[in-house]
Amino acid sequence: MDEREFNETVARLIREARIRAGVTQEYVGRQAGLTRGSITNIESGTQTPPLYRLALIAAAVNADPADLLPSLHLDEASGLAARHAADVAAVWAQASKRRGVSGEG
């Protein structure tokens, strides 16, 4: 998976989670400190949210931040820019740690 595919998948996962949660783009934007236009851009894949905003978006749609990221195998992560691969790895590590603490699998 290359960076473009990764970002498109993040966009789709965010949109699907928002629709499942039954909330508007405006609501998500307010909760994440962004405009509705930014949420529209994020959901269309033309804007990528920083990790902090991704966590706020996840909270607004009642999802775990890791649920808004595609699964990557280590060999796939090599196609991402180093800073993005490190960010993804950090989020997955935190999600794994949280699941371990709560006993969820």
Side-chain angles (χ1 to χ4, degrees):
M1 174 180 295
D2 66 18
E3 187 173 355
R4 181 190 53 78
E5 292 171 310
F6 180 86
N7 290 336
E8 287 173 355
T9 303
V10 169
R12 180 181 50 78
L13 292 170
I14 289 171
R15 179 173 169 71
E16 289 171 357
R18 180 184 59 77
I19 290 169
R20 267 193 313 277
V23 296
T24 65
Q25 290 177 333
E26 185 174 336
Y27 172 82
V28 174
R30 277 196 317 266
Q31 298 302 308
L34 299 167
T35 65
R36 185 202 53 80
S38 287
I39 299 301
T40 298
N41 291 339
I42 289 168
E43 288 185 358
S44 71
T46 59
Q47 181 178 338
T48 305
L51 286 177
Y52 176 73
R53 299 293 175 194
L54 181 68
L56 293 174
I57 290 168
V61 298
N62 198 30
D64 192 291
D67 295 337
L68 303 180
L69 296 173
S71 296
L72 287 179
H73 301 286
L74 291 178
D75 58 331
E76 291 179 311
S78 64
L80 292 175
R83 70 182 180 94
H84 296 304
D87 290 344
V88 170
V91 170
W92 274 107
Q94 285 294 352
S96 294
K97 191 182 303 182
R98 287 182 58 196
R99 285 187 182 113
V101 169
S102 67
E104 296 174 9

